[in-house]
Amino acid sequence: MNEQFKLPLMQTGVPGLDTILGGGLPELSFNIIGGAPGSGKTTFAQQIMFALANPQRKALFFTAMGEPPIKMLRYQQQFSYFDFDKVDSAIQFISLAAEVEGGNYDEVLKQICEQVRQHAPALVFIDSFRSFVEGARGPDREVAALQSFVQKLVTQMTGWHATTFLIGEYLANETDRNPIFTIADGMIWLTQNVHRNAMVRKIQVLKMRGQKQRPGLHTFRINEQGIEIFPRILPAPEPSGDPNRARGRERVSMGVPKLDEMLGGGIPTGYSMLLVGPSGCGKTMLATEFLAEGARLGETAVLALFEKSPSQMMNDLLDSLVSDGSVELLNVRTLDVSVDETLHELVRMIDRTGARRVVLDSLSGFELALAPEFREDFRESLYRMTTVLSEKGVTLLMTSELEDRFTDFRFSPYGNAFLVDAIIVQRFIEAKAQLKTIISVVKVRGSAHSRDLRTFEITDDGILIGDGPAPYADILLGGPGTARPTSG
């Protein structure tokens, strides 16, 4: 036997699952689906089953629970993947509750093998396998008896020429205390974490023999279609860095000529830019001009709103951009957002529309919309988001709310200034008994830019930026970490 045997891979029908499995599910594999009650195990297993089962690839779904299969099916019918035509033709549901309650593993195994012999399935599911242990009442509940049962079951599985799934209420830290985990080909764990009003579901492929699975925890949701997984999107390895990488790139206009001049001719294509300033300084208006300039050039754009609703955000200009299809809106305001889910949706919209510009308004609202556990890794998440979007070739503008304390010169409340390619700062200054707004370009990576502090004003004719340094914007440095604007 010199030829290498390669197991065919089956497409599971669960969005995102084949990606984290490394291409699909190996045929004839023995898999365990584990997780706490309510984590989505049965829905996950049945979604796979309904996607794979057909008249040529039949499935058996054994239930070891006390409740009848009809009750389980009543709820599974609510999902769009459920196909009535496959029940009793391509899929058979069989209850083992009576045999399990009797506590005789040999009788349980006999019943399973008899049904397999009778139906010759290509897919076998047992839910919940832990019920074999918890439901048993006789002397066979001993560990040795369970080990013997598992070994016999696995031996039988090998002869079935079927892909098998054991589903159980197990936790990841139990894998070293049960003999069944050592012989499984694949192990998939589902979890759910609740923090106040937010709930986050995650999935992890702990093991998949012969496959290069995607490591780590991946967010998923359960909706009317079933389970949808959002694999962690990782940026490609960067080539050797070029500190002058802006040179030779095309420049993207911000829609405000004076600001383009300050940036050194516009922002380089594919750059990520942070627009920072206090509330009311004109960040949203500047972002709108950025989108409008793209529309004028025949480009499409995506605007992701994390703070305001569309009705709060809309002005006449933006409303017209959305109405004519130049700008696509992504409105995210729930309290359990995941970064990967948001990034998947952004990438999907970019691919669908061919967008060249993306605006995230604002990072402050984005952080608040995230589930609490994602906030701990906010900087790492922003790095992945900015890098992945840059790889898509889009120019990214992110706004960030920053309290103007007049004595504290910062670029971001997250310490993420190093993650972006360009930074524009807007500030308020008290001058002649009025609040004036100034704007400055702090950073454009690999590119010369203005260091002026210039006046910034929103008028009926649009945005006006001064020709040179604002006469009243001298900064008196009072020591490290302090800055004080003076009245002019």
Side-chain angles (χ1 to χ4, degrees):
M1 183 177 178
N2 296 323
E3 294 184 5
Q4 182 180 8
F5 176 70
K6 188 172 181 62
L7 288 171
L9 297 180
M10 300 183 293
Q11 303 303 298
T12 62
V14 179
L17 179 57
D18 296 334
T19 298
I20 66 174
L21 288 175
L25 187 72
E27 283 191 10
L28 309 182
S29 57
F30 163 38
N31 306 281
I32 295 178
I33 300 172
S39 57
K41 301 180 303 298
T42 298
T43 299
F44 179 70
Q46 292 209 17
Q47 189 171 351
I48 293 174
M49 178 177 66
F50 274 95
L52 293 178
N54 56 50
Q56 292 72 43
R57 184 194 281 156
K58 294 185 177 181
L60 288 185
F61 196 98
F62 292 99
T63 62
M65 300 174 288
E67 62 182 14
I70 188 65
K71 181 180 179 181
M72 175 184 61
L73 292 178
R74 185 179 301 135
Y75 290 98
Q76 292 302 313
Q77 290 173 22
Q78 310 308 311
F79 296 109
S80 62
Y81 66 73
F82 192 93
D83 187 345
F84 284 97
D85 294 335
K86 290 187 177 183
V87 179
D88 294 331
S89 58
I91 298 173
Q92 296 289 331
F93 291 89
I94 300 167
S95 176
L96 296 173
E99 289 80 2
V100 171
E101 183 66 23
N104 188 326
Y105 289 130
D106 288 336
E107 186 61 32
V108 173
L109 183 60
K110 178 181 177 182
Q111 176 69 358
I112 292 175
C113 292
E114 174 60 26
Q115 294 294 335
V116 170
R117 184 193 63 78
Q118 179 180 339
H119 296 283
L123 304 163
V124 177
F125 298 78
I126 302 177
D127 183 16
S128 151
F129 187 72
R130 188 161 191 165
S131 299
F132 287 113
V133 182
E134 303 298 335
R137 296 291 182 266
D140 286 338
R141 192 171 182 175
E142 299 294 333
V143 173
L146 176 61
Q147 288 178 324
S148 175
F149 169 75
V150 170
Q151 290 170 355
K152 291 177 182 178
L153 179 61
V154 173
T155 300
Q156 293 292 335
M157 287 177 179
T158 304
W160 291 344
H161 296 287
T163 307
T164 52
F165 302 83
L166 303 186
I167 305 147
E169 285 75 31
Y170 293 105
L171 302 178
N173 59 8
E174 296 184 61
T175 56
D176 59 345
R177 301 200 300 268
N178 195 310
I180 197 169
F181 298 113
T182 62
I183 52 180
D185 299 312
M187 294 166 55
I188 303 173
W189 248 248
L190 286 73
T191 62
Q192 61 176 353
N193 299 313
V194 178
H195 186 275
R196 296 184 180 177
N197 295 325
M199 181 173 69
V200 176
R201 299 180 186 270
K202 293 187 177 181
I203 186 170
Q204 182 179 15
V205 180
L206 295 179
K207 172 184 180 182
M208 189 57 63
R209 283 180 178 152
Q211 296 282 100
K212 186 180 180 181
Q213 70 268 23
R214 185 170 296 189
L217 295 167
H218 309 274
T219 309
F220 74 92
R221 281 192 183 274
I222 301 178
N223 52 36
E224 60 273 10
Q225 282 78 42
I227 284 176
E228 181 177 5
I229 300 170
F230 306 97
R232 293 180 73 243
I233 299 180
L234 301 175
E238 289 192 14
S240 56
D242 178 6
N244 298 315
R245 65 191 179 103
R247 295 178 182 174
R249 287 197 180 207
E250 292 184 7
R251 297 270 176 161
V252 172
S253 173
M254 294 292 298
V256 182
K258 292 293 184 182
L259 183 55
D260 290 341
E261 174 191 310
M262 294 175 69
L263 289 165
I267 190 74
T269 303
Y271 265 31
S272 57
M273 177 170 44
L274 189 62
L275 176 58
V276 185
S279 178
C281 68
K283 299 186 300 296
T284 298
M285 193 65 189
L286 193 52
T288 302
E289 292 293 340
F290 174 70
L291 295 172
E293 179 64 14
R296 189 184 67 80
L297 298 173
E299 300 175 354
T300 54
V302 172
L303 170 60
L305 298 177
F306 299 105
E307 192 170 305
K308 306 177 183 71
S309 66
S311 60
Q312 292 173 311
M313 174 78 175
M314 287 299 180
N315 51 47
D316 291 341
L317 176 56
L318 188 56
D319 186 51
S320 65
L321 295 174
V322 173
S323 298
D324 67 19
S326 299
V327 173
E328 288 268 336
L329 279 180
L330 172 62
N331 187 27
V332 183
R333 302 183 71 202
T334 59
L335 295 177
D336 57 354
V337 169
S338 86
V339 174
D340 287 295
E341 183 176 357
T342 303
L343 187 51
H344 271 269
E345 186 59 32
L346 281 171
V347 169
R348 197 150 40 202
M349 293 177 75
I350 291 167
D351 289 341
R352 177 170 53 83
T353 64
R356 308 306 303 157
R357 301 179 184 222
V358 174
V359 171
L360 307 185
D361 187 29
S362 70
L363 293 186
S364 312
F366 187 23
E367 184 188 27
L368 288 176
L370 289 174
E373 65 181 89
F374 293 119
R375 297 175 194 168
E376 299 175 2
D377 302 319
F378 193 52
R379 285 209 305 172
E380 183 268 341
S381 299
L382 281 179
Y383 166 74
R384 288 196 293 115
M385 178 172 285
T386 56
T387 306
V388 168
L389 293 179
S390 178
E391 290 173 353
K392 299 290 293 182
V394 301
T395 305
L396 173 65
L397 170 61
M398 300 177 288
T399 69
S400 180
E401 191 83 11
L402 191 63
E403 181 183 356
D404 196 335
R405 303 179 185 176
F406 294 102
T407 58
D408 187 9
F409 193 58
R410 295 178 298 154
F411 305 139
S412 168
Y414 315 106
N416 58 6
F418 71 95
L419 299 178
V420 295
D421 302 304
I423 301 173
I424 299 173
V425 173
Q426 293 175 277
R427 304 187 69 198
F428 287 130
I429 277 187
E430 179 188 353
K432 298 180 181 179
Q434 288 185 322
L435 278 180
K436 302 288 187 178
T437 306
I438 59 173
I439 188 169
S440 58
V441 177
V442 174
K443 166 184 174 182
V444 179
R445 188 165 299 177
S447 177
H449 60 86
S450 170
R451 295 282 184 177
D452 291 347
L453 298 175
R454 299 194 185 187
T455 57
F456 178 94
E457 187 178 0
I458 298 175
T459 70
D460 292 338
D461 296 324
I463 293 175
L464 297 180
I465 294 179
D467 292 329
Y472 46 76
D474 294 331
I475 302 296
L476 299 181
L477 298 178
T482 63
R484 181 173 59 85
T486 61
S487 298

